[in-house]
Amino acid sequence: RSIYKKVIEIIEKFNLEYLNAGCKFLDVACGTGEVICRLASKYQQSKFYGIDFSKEMLEKATSKVNHFNNANITEGNIRNLNFSNNFFDILLCSDAFHHFAEPEQSLKEMYRVIKVGGFLLFIDPAYDNFLQKFVLSTCVAVWDRPKKYYSRRELLNLLEIIGSKVQAVFTYRLTNFFICHKLTSDSVIKAIKEKLVGN
């Protein structure tokens, strides 16, 4: 519950004007739909979408939000999102990226469906030192069954190379929060060139 509270706190801090005015929000791998449920009840002028591939999660999420006119939960694949370009103002990907089989393609799809200047809140466990890596790879991985746990640097590189401006990064309860915005097309080209030169 404290994680949900923190997620909503950040979303509201950076997007309150958009939420009040009416915007489009996507929760990728939405799980039980808790974040959508809380936001949809509070910001009825905005539209909230959630996708997941787990039948169990979809059932739980749908049961939570089916009485809201401004929320929609559907089965979806992150590698090929069924939304048009520049559709969403806000996108959330929380505690799911380490399960994705095609990470770069998944990030490109997220980037594709966000509007220029749109807000991406990217949350995933990531290690910064040997102890964190050891705990994730030997303890947490037993029940979490990830495709891969990333370092913070690896996640920053991936987010920046696909065209995100990482505005802030912080750790909360062993989980990393990346606050990002989608760059304009010219800015994307410049960022990629700078990244390549830097490497």
Side-chain angles (χ1 to χ4, degrees):
R1 291 182 181 274
S2 63
I3 288 288
Y4 292 137
K5 184 177 179 181
K6 177 61 69 173
V7 169
I8 290 170
E9 175 188 315
I10 294 168
I11 290 170
E12 290 180 328
K13 178 180 178 180
F14 288 88
N15 302 280
L16 190 59
E17 182 180 346
Y18 294 106
L19 289 165
N20 283 322
C23 65
K24 294 185 180 71
F25 175 101
L26 174 64
D27 188 349
V28 171
C30 64
T32 64
E34 183 65 26
V35 171
I36 291 176
C37 180
R38 295 187 186 200
L39 289 172
S41 64
K42 192 172 181 180
Y43 302 100
Q44 297 180 13
Q45 59 275 40
S46 291
K47 299 290 184 183
F48 299 88
Y49 300 78
I51 66 160
D52 208 297
F53 64 85
S54 165
K55 294 275 195 281
E56 181 184 359
M57 292 297 105
L58 287 168
E59 287 176 5
K60 289 180 179 180
T62 301
S63 68
K64 281 186 180 180
V65 306
N66 61 6
H67 58 287
F68 293 119
N69 294 326
N70 61 334
N72 183 21
I73 305 292
T74 57
E75 184 175 359
N77 188 329
I78 182 59
R79 289 171 289 183
N80 187 22
L81 294 173
N82 192 27
F83 299 103
S84 58
N85 296 348
N86 307 305
F87 188 75
F88 293 101
D89 302 282
I90 306 168
L91 191 148
L92 168 67
C93 181
S94 178
D95 199 28
F97 188 72
H98 57 283
H99 292 295
F100 294 165
E102 297 180 34
E104 290 189 13
Q105 176 59 27
S106 301
L107 282 172
K108 286 177 182 176
E109 274 294 276
M110 290 186 223
Y111 182 82
R112 179 184 66 79
V113 300
I114 306 175
K115 295 177 181 178
V116 172
F119 179 84
L120 167 63
L121 179 55
F122 187 86
I123 305 168
D124 214 59
Y127 59 85
D128 295 315
N129 56 53
F130 177 79
L131 179 59
Q132 289 174 318
K133 183 177 182 179
F134 177 79
V135 170
L136 284 172
S137 60
T138 59
C139 302
V140 180
V142 173
W143 56 266
D144 195 31
R145 297 183 181 178
K147 295 291 182 183
K148 177 184 176 180
Y149 286 124
Y150 299 84
S151 69
R152 180 185 284 200
R153 172 48 54 192
E154 286 176 314
L155 290 179
L156 279 169
N157 285 341
L158 283 168
L159 287 165
E160 289 174 355
I161 202 69
I162 56 94
S164 293
K165 173 66 175 176
V166 180
Q167 187 171 338
V169 183
F170 67 91
T171 302
Y172 178 78
R173 300 211 168 196
L174 301 179
T175 301
N176 283 268
F177 284 64
F178 298 82
I179 297 169
C180 315
H181 286 88
K182 178 177 176 177
L183 301 172
T184 63
S185 298
D186 289 343
S187 297
V188 169
I189 294 169
K190 181 180 178 183
I192 290 174
K193 285 181 178 179
E194 288 175 352
K195 195 72 179 178
L196 291 174
V197 170
N199 291 336

